[in-house]
Amino acid sequence: MLRGPAAMGEPWQPQPQQQQQHPRLPGLGNASEPSAWPAAAGGPGTAAPGGGAGGAVSPWDIALCATGTAVAGENALVLAVLFYTPSLRAPMFLLIGSLALADLLAGLGLVANFAVRYLLRPPSEAAELGAAGLLLAAFSASVCSLLAITVDRYLSLYNALTYHSERTLGFTCAMVLLMWLLCLGVGLLPLLGWNCLREQSACSILRPVTKDNAAVLAVTFLLLFALMMQLYLQICKIAFRHAQQIAVQHQFIATAQATSTRKGLSTLSLILGTFALCWIPFAIYSLVADSSYPVVYTYSLALPATCNSLINPIIYAFRNPDIQKSLWLACCGCIPSTFSSRPRTSSDV
């Protein structure tokens, strides 16, 4: 027997099903959207493959988090050696400590970014901006520390006679403090409104940094690297001129000075060369790309860039004879007989 409208001669029409509405977090877009660097693939409002709440963890994010953990542990070891060794208090070691601290914070920033993206529930806008600011400040300080080390090496060769009297520990501390204040200011920019959380179409590949701000940072980085390269060329010229001047002296002195100069140039070449290979592709890509580009490109360039903080202690701090001696003393209480006992010169790096 017919019931309802059909029984009264009215045509039956299917009732539309009510669509379930999913709430969106204000300011953060979809909850499955990645919360920080790198930005999601496919443009605003889309989730990165495997990322976000309720999805599988992206292997790229695991790699970044593992790299950050290794970076933090390695640079913490450098800082511990510098802190607990009273003889390592020269301005040169203060700059090495600044670089290690910057890379340590960069590693912690990568771990914090992973935690904000996958572990923090509910998502927090302040946490996302804080993780992005920590990464910006840390990597800015790392770049500036490398520039400061290059300037220090240039001055040690250009003003070799007055270097130790002019470059006092107090002056170096003041310059390092000023540098860190500037880098902390850069890190505060996302919290002060330099972000794209309210306008997803303006996001760069480094969400929540906007495309315009990312371009400014990339251009600034390229200018700083050009300055570092110019200083490096001047260091080479001065070092070769010194080598020619001491060629007429005693053979032993000339050999020792030439060895010191070669080692210094080798160290600078390793640092700047590695720095260029790790960071320049990523800087150029951030100039031309935006959040609509495939996320795999961003990850594949961001991972080598972060690995620069992993390589810095290996090619710089751990190659320093004084730091090596401190490590040997801390680990086994002895110093290998292969260590040279010659005094350090201004050409040492």
Side-chain angles (χ1 to χ4, degrees):
M1 180 180 294
L2 296 174
R3 299 178 182 272
M8 295 181 291
E10 299 178 3
W12 178 81
Q13 296 180 353
Q15 297 294 326
Q17 294 183 356
Q18 184 178 2
Q19 294 183 354
Q20 184 179 1
Q21 299 293 328
H22 295 279
R24 292 172 64 87
L25 296 175
L28 289 180
N30 195 309
S32 65
E33 184 177 307
S35 61
W37 174 50
T46 59
V57 180
S58 168
W60 289 104
D61 288 323
I62 294 176
L64 285 174
C65 184
T67 302
T69 304
V71 166
E74 189 179 32
N75 286 280
L77 176 61
V78 175
L79 290 175
V81 170
L82 295 176
F83 182 79
Y84 288 106
T85 307
S87 60
L88 303 180
R89 295 292 184 269
M92 171 182 60
F93 295 110
L94 181 62
L95 296 176
I96 295 177
S98 176
L99 177 62
L101 177 60
D103 289 336
L104 169 64
L105 293 178
L108 294 178
L110 291 172
V111 177
N113 180 67
F114 181 88
V116 168
R117 177 176 295 191
Y118 292 103
L119 304 180
L120 185 61
R121 296 293 175 265
S124 169
E125 178 178 317
E128 176 181 0
L129 295 176
L134 177 59
L135 287 171
L136 283 177
F139 285 120
S140 297
S142 181
V143 173
C144 291
S145 295
L146 284 173
L147 176 61
I149 290 173
T150 307
V151 172
D152 181 72
R153 294 302 91 206
Y154 170 75
L155 293 177
S156 70
L157 290 173
Y158 184 76
N159 297 324
L161 297 178
T162 59
Y163 168 78
H164 294 286
S165 60
E166 294 177 352
R167 296 285 291 172
T168 62
L169 186 60
F171 175 80
T172 306
C173 287
M175 292 297 101
V176 170
L177 179 60
L178 182 62
M179 178 195 73
W180 272 95
L181 289 177
L182 178 62
C183 295
L184 290 177
V186 173
L188 289 175
L189 292 179
L191 291 168
L192 297 177
W194 285 40
N195 62 74
C196 61
L197 294 184
R198 298 292 188 269
E199 188 179 356
Q200 299 294 327
S201 61
C203 283
S204 67
I205 60 172
L206 305 177
R207 186 180 183 272
V209 179
T210 64
K211 289 183 289 188
D212 293 338
N213 297 335
V216 171
L217 293 173
V219 170
T220 303
F221 163 81
L222 293 175
L223 291 176
L224 290 178
F225 181 75
L227 177 59
M228 292 169 63
M229 289 300 301
Q230 178 63 25
L231 290 172
Y232 174 65
L233 292 177
Q234 295 299 321
I235 288 174
C236 291
K237 292 179 181 179
I238 296 173
F240 289 142
R241 185 168 65 247
H242 285 182
Q244 292 176 354
Q245 291 174 351
I246 64 177
V248 296
Q249 299 180 7
H250 194 275
Q251 184 65 29
F252 173 77
I253 300 178
T255 302
Q257 183 70 19
T259 301
S260 172
T261 302
R262 284 197 303 269
K263 182 179 180 181
L265 295 178
S266 174
T267 301
L268 282 175
S269 299
L270 281 174
I271 290 180
L272 296 179
T274 304
F275 184 70
L277 290 176
C278 291
W279 276 106
I280 285 185
F282 183 72
I284 295 177
Y285 181 71
S286 64
L287 281 174
V288 300
D290 54 35
S291 59
S292 64
Y293 280 58
V295 71
V296 66
Y297 297 157
T298 303
Y299 276 119
S300 61
L301 293 176
L303 186 59
T306 59
C307 286
N308 181 71
S309 296
L310 185 66
I311 300 173
N312 279 339
I314 298 176
I315 65 175
Y316 196 91
F318 294 146
R319 294 177 73 246
N320 186 284
D322 296 318
I323 295 179
Q324 288 181 5
K325 291 178 183 179
S326 299
L327 285 173
W328 277 104
L329 288 173
C331 294
C332 63
C334 62
I335 299 177
S337 58
T338 55
F339 275 101
S340 174
S341 59
R342 72 169 180 85
R344 298 181 61 81
T345 69
S346 61
S347 299
D348 288 326
V349 178

